[in-house]
Amino acid sequence: KKEYGVEGLLDAFVKLDANFRIKLFGSGPLAARIATESKSDPRIFWGEFVDRSELAIQIKNSDAVVNPRPSQTRLAAMSSPSKFLEFGAFGKLIITTRLPTLPLEILRYTVPILDETADGICESFARARSLGPQQRAKMAKTCQVMMRTEYSVERLGEAIGIFLATMASDDTIH
């Protein structure tokens, strides 16, 4: 779906130099386009729908992960950053749009997509490459530690519990 940003990512990817590779997984209305482009461009791998264990292997073997979801949509404003949290837990550099639900403290350890056009996404890939391997690894590791501590399931559960307790004690809510 357009709301997930894959179309924009594909539009950007075809503009990148031959050193970039992309692996796409999942299903949806862009499956036919991705399949066609993967046949004509060997830099594009189309893995279709895979189980979680295979996806985990693919993420572990990647240099970076991309979260291209457009940040100005209604869906982005209402969505939890679950995919982002999952990516961060793997310790891979994340190239992402600035989703309104992502805390700024986490975004510091990503390569933000500041301009969500194809050219802007290309620029973000170029910035990621220019960081160098040590800096990319350090950013990814810091993000991973934050995901496993500050944003762990346990921590998020505590925060939800506090929120619900506050809501239950608020006499103005009926």
Side-chain angles (χ1 to χ4, degrees):
K1 293 182 179 180
K2 197 170 195 131
E3 300 89 44
Y4 297 122
V6 176
E7 186 172 32
L9 179 60
L10 283 171
D11 292 344
F13 189 78
V14 298
K15 295 180 172 197
L16 293 170
D17 68 52
N19 293 317
F20 284 95
R21 305 276 182 274
I22 191 167
K23 291 184 176 186
L24 298 165
F25 298 92
S27 60
L30 292 175
R33 176 181 172 191
I34 296 168
T36 299
E37 290 192 24
S38 70
K39 289 175 185 165
S40 64
D41 186 341
R43 302 173 309 142
I44 300 172
F45 174 84
W46 175 226
E48 300 183 44
F49 190 81
V50 297
D51 65 34
R52 293 183 65 76
S53 61
E54 176 60 24
L55 185 59
I57 292 167
Q58 294 296 328
I59 292 171
K60 286 178 185 176
N61 291 327
S62 68
D63 293 325
V65 291
V66 182
N67 184 16
R69 177 174 285 174
S71 63
Q72 302 303 312
T73 65
R74 183 177 163 152
L75 178 64
M78 296 184 302
S79 65
S80 81
S82 59
K83 189 59 66 184
F84 182 91
L85 295 172
E86 185 178 330
F87 288 163
F90 279 99
K92 296 297 178 177
L93 182 69
I94 302 172
I95 302 169
T96 184
T97 56
R98 295 180 59 112
L99 297 172
T101 55
L102 292 177
L104 290 177
E105 66 185 343
I106 295 175
L107 283 171
R108 293 188 333 203
Y109 303 106
T110 69
V111 175
I113 297 172
L114 302 173
D115 171 3
E116 297 176 16
T117 65
D119 289 338
I121 294 170
C122 288
E123 191 274 329
S124 296
F125 276 81
R127 273 190 290 116
R129 179 190 285 169
S130 73
L131 293 173
Q134 290 82 14
Q135 189 173 2
R136 288 192 302 267
K138 182 178 179 183
M139 289 170 66
K141 183 64 176 174
T142 303
C143 187
Q144 180 184 41
V145 168
M146 289 181 77
M147 294 300 111
R148 292 184 174 177
T149 57
E150 301 302 313
Y151 297 92
S152 68
V153 171
E154 294 80 17
R155 270 292 179 79
L156 294 174
E158 289 171 17
I160 291 169
I162 292 168
F163 171 75
L164 292 175
T166 304
M167 297 300 287
S169 67
D170 188 346
D171 293 335
T172 62
I173 298 175
H174 302 288

